[in-house]
Amino acid sequence: TRGSDMTVIDDYTILFKEGGTIYVQKPYGGCYGLGNGNYSLVTRIAGSNRLCSGQIGSLVDRVSGYSYGSCVFGEFVPYRKAG
């Protein structure tokens, strides 16, 4: 997704909104700690301006700035509002 808003539901579900489409993201094995709000998800995009399945995101402590761990993005499943 590109230029999207991110909403963390829990350690296993992230929503990305891009235009009128919401993408549901379920990182492989979850992203332990992301759901508690103490960490930020940081990604590096090289060669493309889109997040993709298989890409790695790092969890960074919001206070200390230290890396806490990482997670691997699964498929981005698109949903559009009917109507």
Side-chain angles (χ1 to χ4, degrees):
T1 62
R2 166 183 35 203
S4 58
D5 295 321
M6 182 180 86
T7 302
V8 175
I9 303 300
D10 55 31
D11 288 353
Y12 302 93
T13 311
I14 306 167
L15 303 179
F16 290 92
K17 182 179 180 185
E18 183 179 282
T21 305
I22 294 175
Y23 294 88
V24 176
Q25 172 51 237
K26 294 192 174 276
Y28 296 114
C31 204
Y32 184 74
L34 185 61
N36 70 19
N38 294 330
Y39 303 100
S40 293
L41 182 62
V42 178
T43 59
R44 290 186 172 83
I45 301 173
S48 170
N49 57 356
R50 298 187 79 99
L51 294 173
C52 301
S53 173
Q55 199 164 3
I56 298 172
S58 298
L59 288 173
V60 176
D61 185 283
R62 290 180 183 243
V63 176
S64 69
Y66 289 116
S67 181
Y68 173 75
S70 61
C71 49
V72 179
F73 289 127
E75 295 296 322
F76 284 83
V77 179
Y79 289 91
R80 299 200 87 177
K81 189 174 183 176

